[in-house]
Structures are given as C-alpha cells and as structure tokens.
Amino acid sequence: MHFHVVIPARYGNSRLPAKPMLDIAGKPMVVRVFEQALSSGAASVTVATDHQAIADQVHACGFSAVMTRQDHASGTDRIAEVAKIFGWPDEAIVVNVQGDEPLIDPDLIREVAANLEEHPHASIATASHPLHDHVVLLNPNVVKVVMDQAGYALYFSRAPIPYPRDAFAGNQPLPVDAKHYRHIGIYAYRTSFLNTYATLQPANIEQLESLEQLRALWHGYKISVAITDNAPATGVDTEHDLIQVRQHFAGIN
C-alpha cells in the first residue's frame, strides 16, 4: 500500500505557544510525531509548517519539512498545498497526522490509509473506537460519530449521539448493546478531494460544532470510518498533557 503522511505544524497556539517546538525528552514534539509516522510504512513523511523555526528544527534532525502559507483556515487546506507542491497524482492517498500526537500508533496511521484504499467511493477515511463511558459521552470536548450500516459517517457531533434517552432519563449506565463511537482525529484523503476541499463553502453545521469534517458531509462527500482497537494515547492540548507525555518518554529512555 502506497500513501504519504503530512504533519501540519502551525506555530501559533493559544494554550501552548510554539507547541510543535516544545521539548519532549530532548527532541521537538513535531519530530517525535515524525518518528512515529515513519514507522507506519508511509512512502514519504513531511511536516507542513507556517514558521521557519519549525522547519529548521525538523531539517536539523534530518527530516523533511516544507513552508506553507500562513493564512490557511485548517490543516486540510495546508495539506492540500503540500500535495500541489509535490505534484502528487489525483489517486494518491495522503494521511493527516496531527502535529501534537507524539504517541500516535503507527498501526493506526496505516489502518486509516488502508481503509480509504478499500473504499473507492469515499473521499476521506477516518477512525473511531467504541465508547462505553457515560461521562465521556457527555463531554463536548470528545467528538462522537454515527455511521451507517456500510461504515460511512452519518454525522459527527460534540453532543452525545446517538442519544440514549432511557439511560439518561433514569441516570443509568449505557446499555450494553449501545453503539457509541468516539471519533479519532486522523484523516486520509485522496489528492483529488484535497484539491476540491479548498473550493467548498464552509457549512453552518461545521461552524456550529467547530468540526471541519462536517463540511465534506454537508457537500455530499463520503467519509469512511474505521473502527479500531488502536485508540490513540494522550495528545498535547494542555500543560497537563505535556507533562504526561514527557513522563512517558522519560520512562522509555
């Protein structure tokens, strides 16, 4: 299977400024992500950044980085620019690996790429894993997804979907046969769709939920959802997350 990995790495971050450059056991965080992506079997791995200092740190470690425009509205738009820079053909599969996931499982990257390859009618593939916790289902920071019988996404939401009416009404645990899935924020695209995405008008539901994948659904594009056991470990969104990840790598070293 042939696929590329692009890691968007934007300098600005309201919680953790210069987040891709934060040190994790002697290496910048984005380099830790790069190393995980290399183990996925990708044909190429590239960091796409808007800041020269990030590119310089990636290059200093012997890895690939390209400069992209600063005005991209999303990581998807940034990846589309990279696909144009390298001239990848329309059928090429490109996986978006977030630059703040230094513990991402290489098997998950490969799994999402394979899912898109196996679903020729899908423009995007992503991943999910079963969710059984009542509190997590209610957490708006946890994105949920509902699929049809063929495994294509029907909707993504920060709300608890599907809504377990009887369980919530009686403050009971989720039914054992309930099918709730937590969305994992990793995406595989065909280059042809990346070229199209930038032309799509933002959708109202995308803006309300603050979930860019809803733009594709709104415009009628299919998203295939892999159900995986390779649930990702902690990403780095807060100072607490950073401490946890640093402790993990300190334990390995």
Side-chain angles (χ1 to χ4, degrees):
M1 180 177 54
H2 190 276
F3 64 95
H4 304 280
V5 170
V6 178
I7 305 168
R10 192 170 59 88
Y11 185 84
N13 185 278
S14 57
R15 289 182 177 176
L16 294 170
K19 183 162 68 166
M21 301 170 65
L22 292 174
D23 181 83
I24 297 180
K27 296 180 182 179
M29 176 160 58
V30 70
V31 169
R32 291 292 185 185
V33 178
F34 200 110
E35 291 172 338
Q36 293 297 98
L38 276 179
S39 298
S40 70
S44 72
V45 181
T46 305
V47 170
T49 185
D50 62 351
H51 199 280
Q52 189 63 52
I54 295 174
D56 289 344
Q57 287 202 352
V58 173
H59 290 148
C61 293
F63 297 145
S64 172
V66 295
M67 293 296 300
T68 53
R69 297 192 341 240
Q70 293 186 341
D71 60 348
H72 285 306
S74 70
T76 306
D77 295 306
R78 197 172 303 281
I79 290 170
E81 183 181 352
V82 174
K84 288 181 180 179
I85 289 171
F86 287 115
W88 290 330
D90 284 351
E91 67 276 10
I93 292 175
V94 185
V95 182
N96 175 354
V97 174
Q98 300 297 321
D100 57 4
E101 297 278 354
L103 299 178
I104 191 165
D105 190 332
D107 288 341
L108 176 61
I109 300 171
R110 188 164 50 249
E111 192 173 347
V112 172
N115 185 275
L116 185 58
E117 185 176 60
E118 293 162 5
H119 291 83
H121 298 297
S123 298
I124 306 173
T126 188
S128 68
H129 65 89
L131 193 164
H132 303 291
D133 187 282
H134 189 276
V135 174
V136 175
L137 184 61
L138 287 170
N139 186 344
N141 294 317
V142 175
V143 178
K144 279 70 69 173
V145 58
V146 173
M147 290 88 79
D148 67 15
Q149 62 180 349
Y152 292 103
L154 292 171
Y155 195 65
F156 297 85
S157 183
R158 298 181 182 280
I161 55 171
Y163 189 86
R165 185 196 63 178
D166 294 340
F168 280 1
N171 197 27
Q172 300 296 317
L174 296 177
V176 293
D177 60 346
K179 297 204 178 285
H180 294 93
Y181 295 94
R182 178 177 187 163
H183 177 232
I184 301 170
I186 182 172
Y187 301 94
Y189 313 90
R190 289 189 172 82
T191 299
S192 56
F193 176 76
L194 285 171
N195 294 332
T196 299
Y197 181 83
T199 70
L200 300 178
Q201 288 296 315
N204 180 254
I205 54 173
E206 167 196 359
Q207 295 170 332
L208 286 171
E209 296 259 16
S210 192
L211 297 173
E212 67 176 270
Q213 65 269 35
L214 290 174
R215 186 185 309 184
L217 289 185
W218 175 258
H219 287 279
Y221 293 92
K222 286 185 172 291
I223 301 177
S224 180
V225 184
I227 300 173
T228 181
D229 293 326
N230 297 311
T234 302
V236 180
D237 290 319
T238 66
E239 194 72 38
H240 176 72
D241 296 335
L242 180 61
I243 291 169
Q244 285 190 305
V245 169
R246 283 173 169 166
Q247 288 174 341
H248 171 87
F249 279 95
I252 291 174
N253 292 340

